[in-house]
Amino acid sequence: MPPTDVTTLIRTELPRLAGSLRKVGELILEDPAAVTHCSAAELGRRTGTSQATVTRFCRAVGLDSYQHLLIELAQERGRGEVSDWGTAEIGPDISPDDSLERVVQVVGTADLRAIQQTIDRIDLDALERAAQALARARRIDVYGVGGSGAVTQETETRLFRIGCAVRGWTEVHAAATSAALLTPADVAIGISHSGATRETLEPFEMAKERGATTIALTTDPRSPLSRSADIRLISSSSETSFRAESISSRHSVLVLVDCLYVRVAQLTYQRASASLALTDHITPQHAVKSRRAR
């Protein structure tokens, strides 16, 4: 398992769990440190379930055993205690009476943690295959709606700037129309925090049916989007009060987009360099010149 990942894994899997399994997951997330001192039987008693339920929970989230869970929690706690940004001292909760200084600390810590977790869990082979596919693509479609729509547009902007034939689609009918026209020479990127957004999944699956290479950017490796993709790139999130995971994940998914952008620029160096050279003058030309004081 990638570093710092077990609580993120549980948080990701929790919406799919029901009843007693969900109770176990919620208690672990509520106080991971306390759980490391519990036996499976004791955790079962605390959640009003049983030792067998705790074991089933571990398997449901992809862990081999309860002992595996304890090891991962202890290792994650150890990493937090030596973290440069002090994740052990600053929790995710913000109360109405908290100072602005604490708000800034909590939000900044959560974002840094999500970014570091994303870097730690990047599958370099998958990243390379995705970049190679984008570099040789005849055409690139990017699908995403809602909060992921902003990342979709950012992905389009970056790849377009280095000479890629790319279009970001944030409306399902237009996205599906474009997907139906793709070929095996093309690439489709689906961006969705949950990996289960129908408006993103529909054109993504259509693109796959047309033979295009499909790349999923999501926080959930078991989501429908992930399962449908040829290549999966997984980001992390770290929520705080007033910021759901779908909001806090935006920084970390942009890390993946940045890595793809830079690698594609490397792989298409001459084209990317020429494209940047031809467009570098545009932004400065539109800057308002300050007037000299008289």
Side-chain angles (χ1 to χ4, degrees):
M1 179 175 298
T4 69
D5 198 37
V6 69
T7 53
T8 299
L9 172 64
I10 294 172
R11 192 174 290 111
T12 298
E13 293 294 327
L14 202 61
R16 281 198 288 270
L17 302 178
S20 57
L21 294 183
R22 189 182 183 97
K23 288 181 181 178
V24 174
E26 288 173 343
L27 184 61
I28 293 171
L29 292 177
E30 182 179 325
D31 194 352
V35 172
T36 60
H37 301 291
C38 290
S39 65
E42 184 178 353
L43 182 58
R45 287 195 297 272
R46 289 191 180 189
T47 55
T49 60
S50 66
Q51 180 175 343
T53 300
V54 172
T55 301
R56 284 194 295 115
F57 166 81
C58 293
R59 292 174 181 165
V61 299
L63 299 170
D64 297 332
S65 63
Y66 183 65
Q67 188 63 27
H68 188 186
L69 170 66
L70 294 180
I71 291 170
E72 292 294 337
L73 286 172
Q75 290 178 342
E76 183 170 330
R77 184 183 180 191
R79 285 189 293 267
E81 289 173 351
V82 300
S83 166
D84 288 339
W85 52 84
T87 56
E89 290 76 28
I90 301 174
D93 295 328
I94 300 171
S95 73
D97 299 324
D98 280 338
S99 67
L100 179 57
E101 180 182 7
R102 175 167 169 80
V103 170
V104 171
Q105 287 179 324
V106 170
V107 172
T109 296
D111 286 342
L112 287 170
R113 182 167 57 240
I115 289 170
Q116 187 61 56
Q117 287 176 346
T118 298
I119 293 169
D120 289 340
R121 75 193 301 189
I122 286 178
D123 182 334
L124 294 179
D125 177 66
L127 186 67
E128 178 66 14
R129 288 188 290 121
Q132 292 279 356
L134 291 170
R136 63 175 178 263
R138 178 188 70 98
R139 181 175 135 200
I140 301 166
D141 269 9
V142 190
Y143 312 128
V145 299
S148 295
V151 182
T152 295
Q153 297 297 343
E154 186 65 27
T155 304
E156 176 192 315
T157 298
R158 297 185 191 198
L159 293 176
F160 185 70
R161 185 85 189 280
I162 56 173
C164 295
V166 57
R167 179 73 182 270
W169 302 98
T170 59
E171 193 279 320
V172 65
H173 293 164
T177 301
S178 183
L181 299 174
L182 295 183
T183 72
D186 304 319
V187 173
I189 302 174
I191 302 175
S192 170
H193 167 71
S194 68
T197 304
R198 186 177 66 183
E199 289 81 359
T200 300
L201 192 60
E202 180 181 319
F204 191 75
E205 291 181 335
M206 187 176 295
K208 187 175 181 66
E209 290 174 5
R210 295 292 299 154
T213 300
T214 50
I215 303 170
L217 271 64
T218 179
T219 60
D220 189 347
R222 298 186 182 185
S223 65
L225 190 72
S226 292
R227 292 197 301 268
S228 181
D230 297 310
I231 304 170
R232 289 161 287 280
L233 296 173
I234 307 302
S235 61
S236 293
S237 61
S238 188
E239 66 181 354
T240 67
S241 300
F242 312 113
R243 294 198 319 162
E245 285 188 12
S246 58
I247 295 175
S248 64
S249 69
R250 211 154 302 162
H251 296 291
S252 53
V253 76
L254 281 172
V255 170
L256 294 177
V257 172
D258 257 345
C259 290
L260 279 175
Y261 161 73
V262 173
R263 184 57 176 155
V264 172
Q266 282 185 306
L267 295 171
T268 61
Y269 184 79
Q270 290 185 337
R271 183 187 72 187
S273 298
S275 297
L276 290 171
L278 288 169
T279 58
D280 273 346
H281 68 283
I282 295 174
T283 300
Q285 281 186 346
H286 287 81
V288 176
K289 295 180 180 179
S290 62
R291 295 181 179 178
R292 291 184 178 179
R294 294 182 179 178

